[in-house]
Amino acid sequence: MLDLAGQLHEWIEEGREFAVATVVAVGGSAPRPPGAALAVRADGTAIGSVSGGCVEGAVYDLCLQALQEGETLVERFGYSDEDAFAVGLTCGGTIDVMITPFGGDRAAQAGALAAAARGEPVALARVARGPADLLGRAVLVRPDGSHEGGLGGTPELDRTVISQAHALLDNGRTGTVELSEDGSHCPGGLTLLVESAVPPPRMIVFGAIDFAAALVRAGKLLGHHVTVCDARPVFATRARFPEADEIVVDWPHRYLRATETDGRTVLCVLTHDAKFDVPLLTEALRLPVAYVGAMGSRRTHQDRNRRLREAGVGEHELARLRSPIGLDLGARTPEETAVSIAAEIVAARRGGTGLPLTGSETPIHRAEQLPQAV
């Protein structure tokens, strides 16, 4: 739902009545992940999607029903072998969709939509399965731990929900959490959908070369905030990288030491020059970032690893380095190379194998491993 925050916040400001259908759980192969949403106004206007087309019509009708009845409801959609023409998912999976009318006391949801529309990080935890009196109840959680709303159960339940939502927000993740009604971590009475709205993850491309220009475009396609950094002002220019969000002229290791990174940050080192690579990678491999890749031939890779060991980089740190960068696609051009790097970044993030799906028995859609609150 928070993916639609800009438009939904406008509807709230205009006093529009609407209902939001949100994917709260998936099973097997499903086209959209938890958090995907379809919103329908009372006048019939619709935005978003919960299934990529398979069940949109049925969910649309449920949104109109929820607006009329004023009640939150949850519906499951799946594929029926007995009736292939029934409303369902042709991919063979199942999705649970929660439909919530907006009206009455929805302060936490409205606050989360407003914050997300402003680009502020926020998490929204909602009861997706549980007692009827708790269904759809919500808590808004901010990065500093402050919150709005509550589930109306025990104080311990609200404390646990806030803790779980904060853990997911820290990682920029959306997912479900199983809890008991008393707030303990034992799966049982309640399923929460926790949606996180966070700024785009960073991609920092070091080395203002022709391959970097193509990688900037690929990074933007993946939804990253892309920075290009190079110590040479003649190469690091807006004219050469018009699609980059930032262009920085500085020594790469010095910039990396000073800038902000997190567990979603992607670092791509395209300089393949020891005087830049070694101090930069010495810094990069010690940061808790999502991905560190470095360009170069296999000979360059071996020489670079030797230099990194001499600089004090340990074997555990070296094992994090993706080098030579990218998947083996047989790429030659800058654009093809950018595709191979982008593919490796996606595989690293989602746990993919990088192998062709043809002839493979591995799942197409993998369940994400969600962080646990401490």
Side-chain angles (χ1 to χ4, degrees), residues 208-296:
I209 64 175
D210 52 353
F211 286 88
L215 184 55
V216 167
R217 294 192 292 273
K220 296 299 294 180
L221 181 64
L222 293 180
H224 291 270
H225 180 280
V226 183
T227 301
V228 176
C229 175
D230 198 298
R232 303 164 297 179
V234 68
F235 295 116
T237 66
R238 176 58 62 186
R240 298 190 70 215
F241 301 99
E243 295 171 87
D245 295 291
E246 295 177 291
I247 299 171
V248 176
V249 178
D250 199 353
W251 279 82
H253 72 281
R254 185 166 60 189
Y255 173 69
L256 182 59
R257 191 180 299 154
T259 195
E260 184 175 339
T261 60
D262 60 24
R264 302 180 301 144
T265 301
V266 167
L267 305 177
C268 299
V269 180
L270 309 186
T271 48
H272 52 83
D273 183 330
K275 69 176 178 291
F276 295 117
D277 288 4
V278 173
L280 171 59
L281 289 170
T282 300
E283 293 284 339
L285 293 172
R286 291 168 179 166
L287 292 174
V289 295
Y291 174 94
V292 182
M295 179 177 277

Side-chain angles (χ1 to χ4, degrees), residues 1 3-4 23-38 48-54 56 89 91 94-96 365:
M1 180 177 78
D3 289 346
L4 306 177
V23 177
V24 295
V26 301
S29 182
R32 300 295 308 280
L38 169 72
S49 170
V50 293
S51 72
C54 305
E56 306 300 310
L89 299 175
C91 56
T94 62
I95 60 172
D96 291 349
H365 302 109

Side-chain angles (χ1 to χ4, degrees), residues 2 6 67 78 106 120 127 130 146 176 181 203 216 227 260 279 306 326 329-330 335 356 365 368 370:
L2 297 186
L67 279 169
R106 301 289 182 195
E120 300 172 5
V127 178
S146 61
T176 55
E181 290 184 46
M203 171 186 282
V216 167
T227 301
E260 184 175 339
R306 177 184 61 80
L329 305 183
E335 290 74 20
H365 302 109
E368 292 192 89
L370 300 178

Side-chain angles (χ1 to χ4, degrees), residues 58 147-148 178 211 239 276:
H147 66 280
E148 296 178 20
E178 301 285 340
F211 286 88
F276 295 117

Side-chain angles (χ1 to χ4, degrees), residues 277-348:
D277 288 4
V278 173
L280 171 59
L281 289 170
T282 300
E283 293 284 339
L285 293 172
R286 291 168 179 166
L287 292 174
V289 295
Y291 174 94
V292 182
M295 179 177 277
S297 67
R298 298 204 181 273
R299 178 177 293 180
T300 298
H301 166 71
Q302 292 170 359
D303 178 67
R304 185 166 48 212
N305 277 4
R306 177 184 61 80
R307 292 173 184 267
L308 287 169
R309 290 187 180 98
E310 290 173 354
V313 177
E315 295 302 318
H316 178 70
E317 294 164 335
L318 272 178
R320 299 182 57 215
L321 178 60
R322 306 276 181 155
S323 174
I325 195 170
L327 298 183
D328 180 12
L329 305 183
R332 290 184 178 274
T333 68
E335 290 74 20
E336 290 172 348
T337 301
V339 169
S340 86
I341 296 171
E344 184 175 52
I345 291 169
V346 173

Side-chain angles (χ1 to χ4, degrees), residues 10 14 24 47 59 74 92 100 111 116 175 183 192 198 200 202 229 231 270 287 318 327 337:
E10 284 187 19
E14 294 168 358
V24 295
I47 59 172
V59 175
V74 176
T100 303
L192 301 176
V198 293
R202 295 193 69 189
C229 175
L270 309 186
L287 292 174
L318 272 178
L327 298 183
T337 301

